[in-house]
Amino acid sequence: MAAAKDAPYNLVYWPGIPGRGEHIRLALEEAGAKYTDTAFSEGGVDEVLAFVQGNVPDDGINPPVLAPPILKHADVVISQTPNILQYLGSHLGLVPDADKDRNGLYRVNALALTALDGLSNEPHDCHHPIASGLYYEDQKPESKRRSEDYVKNRLPKFLTYFERVLQSKSSGDGPWLYGGRLTYADLVLFQCLDGLKFMFPKAVAKLEREGKHSKVFALHQAVAERPRIAAYLESSRRQKYSNGIYRYYEELDIEP
Amino acid sequence: MAAAKDAPYNLVYWPGIPGRGEHIRLALEEAGAKYTDTAFSEGGVDEVLAFVQGNVPDDGINPPVLAPPILKHADVVISQTPNILQYLGSHLGLVPDADKDRNGLYRVNALALTALDGLSNEPHDCHHPIASGLYYEDQKPESKRRSEDYVKNRLPKFLTYFERVLQSKSSGDGPWLYGGRLTYADLVLFQCLDGLKFMFPKAVAKLEREGKHSKVFALHQAVAERPRIAAYLESSRRQKYSNGIYRYYEELDIEP
């Protein structure tokens, strides 16, 4: 469908935080795709709120969505970070070539889902272990306890897993997770590690010093050095971490 | 690939609990597919442990997996519940016809991911809010607090969302979430609601009495009445809920 091919990509996401929307932005930026972003458009937050509050009219094609990030592209309106990444991955060439490796899509998707589970959703719950609808200040002791477990047990477990992936034959040559080429799973792992460096600087620095996850850290570096990503990271489109998924609280910056 | 088409499906999952493996079983059962299941095979737990402990030899094709459920099919070894469901959905006819509705796959995937987020992962964290590696008994006060928030705020939010999906035009005719036909997203929502009925019987019964989510409850009933699902639910292959995702603790059975 030519119309869909030429249609711009529209990201609907909260302004003010990189958040889960950042995974979508990195895919669009790496591909050099044209896109709009409600984080930077006038009235953008109203569009996010319309979706969140269920006030978007039924278009007869797309099911309602519950929460951002949301991608609008031609007549497609879809939510869920790993789902949007699959869609963009296929459209923007950030997945294995389905003609040569028909099941590569599933292998890459598993890697992205695992990174999002352990290195994005779990960190979020470190500062919101009791309820996402309560303030951090209402769950501080529980956050401390959860963060202690996270940096001691969960974070090393997930980094060790991805190190193993990078050492496996299926990763191919070069710094990438699968098939010797950059996929959206690499962008996800980059963003997760980048956020964790901000949120738990002591724990991540210690893991980096220990040298057991050198391929994971090398992947982070390799993504940051991609020409389009490097330009993006320097631009004003790259928002600073604040009160999103990855937050810095001194009392949670635990040295394991 | 004829070999893959005829190859049996092999589910690798813990014995003794329905768990996340149950979503995979329901897809296989609904389709009448032949499959093996480590939950019922001699030495099955050793196969699960080999994966979990990273002792499965590198096959040169598939990245290592971190955790079950795992699907083995021909030369494919993939993990992550929603990912396996996508794979099976395409192979077993539990997704929209890609030739007629090329983006239906993404719409269905978003629904499954949202159900798993809010109605499976969040319930799990109700009894493990601090650390999945600790016993429930080590996080009882936190579990109570999280469960109170869950049944009061999160559970109604997600059921209201799915009711809205079922009322939208994109759901089509009949009891299903998308396109007027059964997809794996329906099986996921069935299993989630089924588990929640076990875990939070008072809260779910109250929501059912209130009548605001009648289409969600009707979907649960419609899935339970599918001939192959009904036979499965009566069989010994359908395991009882115990210490998995959906657990019954009297102190968490809160009437909101």
Side-chain angles (χ1 to χ4, degrees):
Chain A
M1 186 158 54
K5 194 170 172 294
D6 301 329
Y9 296 97
N10 306 117
L11 171 62
V12 179
Y13 197 70
W14 300 111
I17 52 167
R20 292 190 174 89
E22 197 62 13
H23 296 288
I24 315 304
R25 290 187 192 101
L26 286 167
L28 291 162
E29 294 281 348
E30 166 62 26
K34 284 198 181 153
Y35 70 101
T36 66
D37 186 340
T38 57
F40 299 104
S41 62
E42 204 178 308
V45 73
D46 296 328
E47 184 167 0
V48 181
L49 285 170
F51 276 107
V52 169
Q53 295 167 350
N55 294 331
V56 173
D58 188 342
D59 67 9
I61 303 172
N62 294 285
V65 300
L66 182 68
I70 298 157
L71 181 76
K72 301 197 302 181
H73 182 231
D75 66 355
V76 172
V77 182
I78 51 171
S79 69
Q80 282 283 353
T81 305
N83 188 47
I84 296 171
L85 289 170
Q86 278 189 302
Y87 180 89
L88 288 178
S90 292
H91 282 69
L92 302 176
L94 296 170
V95 288
D97 185 338
D99 292 335
K100 292 182 199 159
D101 179 11
R102 63 196 297 258
N103 294 307
L105 292 169
Y106 300 102
R107 298 184 182 114
V108 165
N109 188 41
L111 296 170
L113 285 163
T114 302
L116 290 168
D117 275 355
L119 303 172
S120 176
N121 297 337
E122 290 198 24
H124 171 272
D125 285 0
C126 282
H127 52 73
H128 277 77
I130 300 299
S132 55
L134 290 175
Y135 290 108
Y136 165 65
E137 286 69 21
D138 296 323
Q139 45 198 317
K140 281 180 78 169
E142 297 91 344
S143 296
K144 184 83 184 288
R145 228 184 133 199
R146 177 146 184 162
S147 295
E148 282 168 350
D149 178 79
Y150 185 77
V151 299
K152 188 178 162 205
N153 297 311
R154 302 295 287 175
L155 177 57
K157 178 189 171 93
F158 279 90
L159 294 196
T160 298
Y161 167 68
F162 281 108
E163 188 74 13
R164 197 149 63 84
V165 171
L166 288 163
Q167 287 168 351
S168 75
K169 288 180 203 147
S170 61
S171 69
D173 294 329
W176 315 123
L177 285 165
Y178 182 76
R181 62 182 278 184
L182 180 86
T183 68
Y184 70 82
D186 298 300
L187 302 176
V188 169
L189 184 54
F190 162 81
Q191 175 56 22
C192 290
L193 191 57
D194 202 72
L196 287 162
K197 280 171 178 257
F198 173 79
M199 182 165 171
F200 297 120
K202 288 182 185 164
V204 175
K206 187 175 179 219
L207 287 166
E208 192 161 11
R209 275 199 310 276
E210 287 173 354
K212 291 182 199 162
H213 310 95
S214 55
K215 285 179 183 286
V216 172
F217 288 98
L219 179 147
H220 178 273
Q221 186 65 24
V223 170
E225 289 172 359
R226 300 281 293 183
R228 286 175 175 150
I229 297 291
Y232 168 67
L233 296 177
E234 288 297 310
S235 77
S236 60
R237 300 190 301 287
R238 174 72 168 184
Q239 298 165 86
K240 291 197 193 323
Y241 295 107
S242 59
N243 286 320
I245 291 167
Y246 301 109
R247 305 182 179 193
Y248 182 76
Y249 293 115
E250 196 177 354
E251 63 272 22
L252 302 186
D253 184 15
I254 297 153
E255 172 116 29
Chain B
M1 184 157 57
K5 194 170 173 296
D6 302 329
Y9 296 97
N10 306 116
L11 170 62
V12 179
Y13 198 70
W14 300 110
I17 52 167
R20 292 190 174 88
E22 197 63 13
H23 296 288
I24 315 305
R25 290 187 191 102
L26 286 167
L28 292 161
E29 293 282 348
E30 166 61 27
K34 284 197 183 156
Y35 70 101
T36 66
D37 186 339
T38 56
F40 298 104
S41 61
E42 203 177 309
V45 74
D46 296 329
E47 184 167 0
V48 181
L49 285 169
F51 276 106
V52 169
Q53 295 167 349
N55 293 331
V56 173
D58 188 341
D59 66 10
I61 304 172
N62 295 284
V65 301
L66 183 68
I70 298 156
L71 182 76
K72 301 198 301 181
H73 182 229
D75 66 356
V76 172
V77 181
I78 51 171
S79 68
Q80 283 284 354
T81 306
N83 188 47
I84 296 171
L85 289 171
Q86 277 190 303
Y87 180 89
L88 288 179
S90 292
H91 283 70
L92 302 177
L94 296 170
V95 288
D97 185 337
D99 292 334
K100 293 182 199 160
D101 179 10
R102 64 197 295 259
N103 293 307
L105 292 169
Y106 299 101
R107 298 185 181 112
V108 165
N109 189 39
L111 296 171
L113 284 163
T114 302
L116 290 168
D117 276 354
L119 303 172
S120 176
N121 296 338
E122 290 197 24
H124 171 271
D125 285 0
C126 283
H127 53 73
H128 277 77
I130 300 299
S132 56
L134 290 176
Y135 290 109
Y136 164 65
E137 286 70 22
D138 296 324
Q139 45 197 319
K140 280 180 78 170
E142 298 91 345
S143 296
K144 184 82 185 289
R145 229 185 131 197
R146 177 147 186 162
S147 296
E148 281 168 351
D149 179 79
Y150 185 78
V151 299
K152 187 177 162 205
N153 297 312
R154 302 295 287 175
L155 177 58
K157 178 189 172 92
F158 279 90
L159 294 197
T160 298
Y161 167 69
F162 281 107
E163 188 74 13
R164 197 150 63 84
V165 171
L166 288 163
Q167 286 168 352
S168 75
K169 288 180 203 146
S170 62
S171 68
D173 295 328
W176 314 123
L177 285 164
Y178 183 76
R181 63 182 277 182
L182 180 86
T183 69
Y184 69 83
D186 298 300
L187 302 177
V188 169
L189 184 54
F190 162 81
Q191 176 56 21
C192 289
L193 191 58
D194 202 72
L196 287 162
K197 280 172 179 255
F198 174 78
M199 183 166 170
F200 296 120
K202 288 182 185 163
V204 176
K206 187 174 177 219
L207 288 165
E208 192 162 11
R209 275 198 311 276
E210 287 172 354
K212 291 182 199 161
H213 310 95
S214 55
K215 285 179 184 286
V216 172
F217 286 98
L219 179 148
H220 178 273
Q221 186 65 24
V223 170
E225 288 173 358
R226 301 280 293 183
R228 284 174 175 151
I229 298 291
Y232 168 66
L233 296 177
E234 288 296 310
S235 77
S236 60
R237 300 190 301 287
R238 174 73 168 184
Q239 297 166 85
K240 291 196 191 325
Y241 295 108
S242 58
N243 286 320
I245 292 168
Y246 302 109
R247 304 183 180 193
Y248 182 76
Y249 294 115
E250 195 177 354
E251 61 274 22
L252 303 185
D253 183 15
I254 297 153
E255 172 117 28

